[in-house]
Amino acid sequence: GTGKGKSRSEPNASDPGKAFGDWLPTWYEAVLLLLSEERRRAHAVFGTDLAPEVMVKVLNECFRPILSSFKNRLEAICPADGVSRGSDQSFECICRAYESTLQFLSVAYEQMVDFESNSSSGVSSDDKAQGHGGDAADIEGGAPSRTKTPVQLHVMARSIFISVASPFSLYQNNFAKLEAHHSGMTARIVSSDIHNAVSGRILALSNMQESAERLAGLAPFMFPLAQGAISRFESLTSGFWAATGLDTIDTVLSKHIGDLSISFHTLSTNVLSDDNNLTDNFDEQQIQCALEVLKIAGIVKRNLISIEEKTKDRLRVLAGRMGATIDQENALIEGLSQRTKSADLVPDALSAVEIETILATTVCGGDEDRESSKNSPSVQVLQKLSGSTQNGGSDDLLFPKSADSLKRLVNSCQTFVFDISSAIPFKHLKDMSSLPTWGQEESMWSTTTSDSYGTLPQAYITQVGEHMLALVQALEPFASDKEGLQLASSVMQDVGHVSDKLWRKFAHAINAESDDSEFVSMIRQGDVVKDFILNFTENRFDEDEEDDEFDSAAQVFCNQWLDVVCSAVTGVMLEQTMRVKKLTRKGCDHLSVDFNYIVNVLTALGVSGHPHPLLMHIAELARMSSEDLQTRILESADDGFGIRNTEARIALMRGIPLN
């Protein structure tokens, strides 16, 4: 019989937190029924004036004997020092128990007091005649009893509320540590899943697609959990120690976003590994799969912005609630000191959130917080964080670590798309400088005119050109999805950085300022060198005024990626050309033809800023006679952008003396 009864009373004995969480509300309901019955009796026995005071004391006696064991029960579920044991949901169990307690106290407040009929300073003459005054005297230990003022009763009730909720005070004080441990357990599981999603070998397109899909599912996973952490922060601390609490959540989120960033670097390495031939041939689906990664970054960005905005809204509410509670506390203290008999200072009801703020102010608030709402440091912190003061702007970030991690994630995703989109041209260009064609001598039977006329673009450059033209068709299907395009376009800022390293290599090859990012960016964009270019022709493309907003956005997106890949291909070609050791006359013919071919391809793409002026310039330099090139170099001053260095390098390859 005993075992059977135990089974009914503790159905979740294997999970003490859940068992306690299921039991506690039912126990609170039983206490409320008891209070309701005691209220009826108190009114009947002691009268309307004394009943509220009796009810306050009854509530106190319901909890006073069990507070110690109640605290021990909480400690058994989740140690307040943050060292977890048992269920990984133990801290959530504590928070749910606290919320149940707040709800209970809110309803209990209604059972305890009836302030409107309790504004006299003593027992009524009718009650004395009925003997109620003597019964009240017994409650006070035999001393003559007087009915307390509404303010006194309210303050007495608040003190008992604080006592009832005191087992939770350690959890309020240790919120940051407890939340870090609780969220950290889930975060470690998600981190492991992210690692596993990209740890396998990528031998086929299906492997790449599976990894991308798994990462897409895991990317937003931590944001609802972070929202839950903010709710726990609000419930337990009501906004006190906001900077510390938000930093805990920020740390967990930023670690998650950082793991995603690393995963895309790993995925890129696996896809481009020499162990597979996944990128040997152009595949439109590879490009589209890679572009899906941008949507992942866009979703993370959207979620981070959303949680920032929602949290700022909640902080504004908490600041107002905290300030109102502080002012109410001060008004009550003033009412006590003046022995106010009016019930005007006392609320008719206390909601759970109002009690939550009262308890948090008592446990977490400092002495300065209690002086006034205007001077409260905690209120000021909330106002600053939420952008409600002149010193706090709406652009100030609540989660700065996560914002930094997001930047790295966006860069990582942009780089991944770039790596896949440019893999084929890079494979064909990587050995360009060592092609034997550059040093090939002319046949003794050839003539300059006929040999140059019959020169065709080499295979390496036609492969590059064909890829560039096919890339347009691969980008357009992705850009036709409106929602996906919006997400991807939101993370396209500063995408040009992915080609910077290639232009730094070119700058290094011509002995220019390769470590100066601003200088490298200027020569990459090409505008600063236009005045020094031979036979420069600028392509201008008119905007189609009939395009609607979506078509325009799709075109912008496609052109952004074409611009990046075109720029990268240009940078590699220039750097490889500068590393050619010898250029014969026949080699110059090939170089000029190859460069003119890529100039024509990039012109056909219709992307603003392409072809780069230096492509035309080198094609022209390769065709110049030795005498003309020598004269041009000797008579020109240093332009400061590496043009003269480029010309001198070409002359050196051709064996033209510059002394």
Side-chain angles (χ1 to χ4, degrees):
T2 304
K4 191 173 182 180
K6 183 176 181 181
S7 177
R8 285 197 300 267
S9 63
E10 294 189 2
N12 299 296
S14 60
D15 186 348
K18 189 174 188 311
F20 184 70
D22 292 342
W23 167 81
L24 187 61
T26 62
W27 185 73
Y28 280 148
E29 288 176 9
V31 175
L32 288 172
L33 288 174
L34 171 66
L35 289 175
S36 179
E37 180 62 21
E38 288 298 323
R39 182 187 185 192
R40 186 187 64 78
R41 292 175 180 174
H43 276 273
V45 176
F46 301 110
T48 302
D49 287 336
L50 285 175
E53 182 178 344
V54 173
M55 293 304 300
V56 170
K57 293 182 178 181
V58 169
L59 177 67
N60 186 45
E61 288 305 311
C62 284
F63 282 87
R64 184 181 57 79
I66 65 169
L67 283 178
S68 178
S69 61
F70 189 84
K71 180 180 178 181
N72 292 337
R73 187 76 177 266
L74 295 180
E75 280 279 345
I77 296 170
C78 177
D81 61 2
V83 180
S84 179
R85 60 174 177 264
S87 170
D88 58 0
Q89 302 300 315
S90 59
F91 185 48
E92 283 192 34
C93 293
I94 296 297
C95 293
R96 283 195 293 269
Y98 185 60
E99 289 167 4
S100 295
T101 303
L102 296 174
Q103 293 289 345
F104 162 75
L105 293 175
S106 176
V107 179
Y109 182 79
E110 297 176 10
Q111 298 276 15
M112 287 188 296
V113 290
D114 185 5
F115 296 127
E116 293 301 323
S117 62
N118 187 39
S119 58
S120 63
S121 59
V123 181
S124 67
S125 58
D126 290 341
D127 288 337
K128 287 181 180 179
Q130 297 173 19
H132 294 167
D135 292 330
D138 292 339
I139 297 173
E140 291 290 339
S145 175
R146 297 177 62 190
T147 302
K148 295 182 181 295
T149 66
V151 172
Q152 289 172 329
L153 266 178
H154 180 74
V155 171
M156 184 177 175
R158 288 163 76 112
S159 298
I160 293 172
F161 286 2
I162 293 167
S163 175
V164 170
S166 61
F168 295 96
S169 61
L170 285 175
Y171 300 95
Q172 293 172 284
N173 284 315
N174 291 341
F175 168 79
K177 188 174 181 180
L178 288 160
E179 184 58 51
H181 191 85
H182 173 71
S183 297
M185 287 189 289
T186 304
R188 283 190 291 273
I189 296 172
V190 176
S191 178
S192 176
D193 289 343
I194 290 173
H195 173 76
N196 292 335
V198 295
S199 60
R201 297 180 66 188
I202 308 295
L203 300 177
L205 174 62
S206 59
N207 301 136
M208 178 176 162
Q209 290 171 329
E210 181 184 355
S211 293
E213 288 172 3
R214 290 177 65 186
L215 291 173
L218 291 165
F221 193 86
M222 289 301 297
F223 286 95
L225 300 181
Q227 197 65 59
I230 291 169
S231 297
R232 289 188 289 275
F233 159 74
E234 181 176 340
S235 177
L236 283 178
T237 73
S238 202
F240 286 95
W241 305 324
T244 303
L246 293 177
D247 181 69
T248 299
I249 300 167
D250 188 20
T251 299
V252 173
L253 266 183
S254 65
K255 174 67 167 59
H256 171 67
I257 299 172
D259 287 340
L260 287 170
S261 178
I262 294 171
S263 73
F264 289 114
H265 285 300
T266 303
L267 185 59
S268 179
T269 301
N270 290 344
V271 171
L272 300 177
S273 170
D274 292 336
D275 293 340
N276 65 57
N277 57 0
L278 196 59
T279 55
D280 283 354
N281 300 303
F282 183 81
D283 187 339
E284 189 173 301
Q285 288 186 305
Q286 284 182 15
I287 304 297
Q288 291 171 11
C289 177
L291 290 169
E292 290 292 321
V293 166
L294 290 176
K295 289 165 60 175
I296 296 175
I299 289 171
V300 171
K301 181 178 181 179
R302 184 176 64 186
N303 282 326
L304 185 58
I305 291 173
S306 175
I307 200 172
E308 277 268 351
E309 292 174 347
K310 289 179 181 178
T311 304
K312 285 188 176 183
D313 288 342
R314 294 310 304 162
L315 294 183
R316 293 186 191 101
V317 172
L318 292 175
R321 194 182 294 162
M322 186 186 295
T325 299
I326 291 170
D327 290 340
Q328 186 185 46
E329 286 281 340
N330 289 330
L332 289 170
I333 293 172
E334 180 70 16
L336 282 176
S337 65
Q338 295 182 1
R339 297 184 177 274
T340 301
K341 298 177 182 179
S342 171
D344 293 343
L345 291 175
V346 176
D348 294 332
L350 284 176
S351 67
V353 293
E354 288 173 323
I355 296 173
E356 168 192 295
T357 311
I358 292 169
L359 298 178
T361 302
T362 302
V363 175
C364 308
D367 292 338
E368 293 180 353
D369 288 318
R370 296 183 177 90
E371 292 179 2
S372 72
S373 60
K374 291 183 179 180
N375 298 323
S376 166
S378 296
V379 173
Q380 291 171 357
V381 167
L382 289 175
Q383 291 173 338
K384 183 177 186 301
L385 289 172
S386 64
S388 303
T389 65
Q390 293 182 348
N391 294 328
S394 59
D395 293 334
D396 292 343
L397 297 174
L398 297 180
F399 306 108
K401 295 176 185 176
S402 298
D404 287 341
S405 292
L406 175 63
K407 291 178 183 178
R408 292 192 294 273
L409 173 62
V410 169
N411 287 346
S412 178
C413 291
Q414 290 174 345
T415 301
F416 178 75
V417 177
F418 172 73
D419 288 344
I420 303 302
S421 302
S422 59
I424 290 177
F426 284 3
K427 282 187 176 182
H428 292 294
L429 290 172
K430 68 176 183 178
D431 296 323
M432 175 186 168
S433 62
S434 58
L435 290 174
T437 314
W438 312 130
Q440 185 178 349
E441 297 293 344
E442 294 178 289
S443 167
M444 61 181 295
W445 307 109
S446 65
T447 64
T448 303
T449 304
S450 64
D451 205 40
S452 176
Y453 181 78
T455 303
L456 297 174
Q458 298 181 78
Y460 82 93
I461 200 66
T462 58
Q463 293 282 353
V464 172
E466 289 169 7
H467 175 86
M468 299 304 299
L469 295 171
L471 188 58
V472 179
Q473 305 302 319
L475 292 169
E476 288 178 348
F478 178 85
S480 64
D481 173 19
K482 186 173 183 179
E483 183 179 359
L485 180 63
Q486 288 176 339
L487 288 170
S489 296
S490 71
V491 292
M492 285 295 288
Q493 297 89 343
D494 302 321
V495 69
H497 75 90
V498 295
S499 65
D500 279 349
K501 62 182 179 181
L502 305 168
W503 283 87
R504 280 197 294 271
K505 289 182 178 180
F506 167 63
H508 183 267
I510 59 174
N511 297 320
E513 298 293 332
S514 59
D515 294 331
D516 186 340
S517 298
E518 185 176 354
F519 171 80
V520 171
S521 179
M522 284 194 300
I523 61 170
R524 175 174 62 82
Q525 293 170 8
D527 292 334
V528 295
V529 303
K530 291 177 181 177
D531 293 339
F532 306 96
I533 300 302
L534 293 168
N535 297 331
F536 172 66
T537 302
E538 186 167 12
N539 294 314
R540 297 188 180 276
F541 307 98
D542 296 329
E543 297 285 340
D544 189 346
E545 297 180 358
E546 296 183 0
D547 285 349
D548 63 23
E549 186 177 347
F550 173 67
D551 288 339
S552 177
Q555 184 177 3
V556 168
F557 177 80
C558 292
N559 285 346
Q560 280 179 302
W561 277 112
L562 289 173
D563 173 47
V564 166
V565 180
C566 288
S567 180
V569 166
T570 300
V572 173
M573 281 190 67
L574 293 174
E575 184 259 339
Q576 284 288 309
T577 301
M578 293 301 100
R579 301 198 185 281
V580 172
K581 298 191 180 301
K582 181 181 180 181
L583 267 178
T584 62
R585 193 178 79 174
K586 190 170 184 62
C588 285
D589 290 340
H590 279 292
L591 186 66
S592 179
V593 168
D594 290 351
F595 268 68
N596 279 323
Y597 168 81
I598 204 66
V599 164
N600 292 334
V601 169
L602 299 185
T603 301
L605 290 177
V607 180
S608 179
H610 297 280
H612 194 281
L614 281 174
L615 292 175
M616 308 175 202
H617 192 58
I618 289 181
E620 192 65 24
L621 291 176
R623 294 175 53 202
M624 290 181 72
S625 67
S626 299
E627 294 77 11
D628 289 344
L629 180 55
Q630 184 183 49
T631 301
R632 174 181 171 82
I633 296 172
L634 293 175
E635 292 181 354
S636 62
D638 186 4
D639 51 83
F641 300 110
I643 305 300
R644 191 173 187 277
N645 290 6
T646 301
E647 295 169 349
R649 185 79 190 107
I650 294 289
L652 182 63
M653 297 176 204
R654 294 178 58 178
I656 301 173
L658 298 178
N659 296 329

